[in-house]
Amino acid sequence: MAEPERPRTDRSPWNWLLLVPIVVPLLTFLYNHDEPRLAGFPLFYWLQLAFILLGVGTTTLVYQMTKRGRS
């Protein structure tokens, strides 16, 4: 006989953190400037790289915190 399906367990409050790397780049007042410059690059360009690091860090944190409940 087939084993009954278990209910989904991916409803963790940690998943709400995944909204951070989506919402933060939408806040245009953060990077609507030319200064400061980093290695000659305007704020916009190096802040885009910081947004990528924010997304990677947030995704890694959520994955690590939610994988404990999996078998």
Side-chain angles (χ1 to χ4, degrees), residues 17-39:
L17 277 179
L18 294 173
L19 288 175
V20 172
I22 295 171
V23 172
V24 170
L26 296 176
L27 304 174
T28 56
F29 64 87
L30 292 176
Y31 53 89
N32 193 17
H33 306 283
D34 186 45
E35 300 289 333
R37 291 180 173 258
L38 185 65

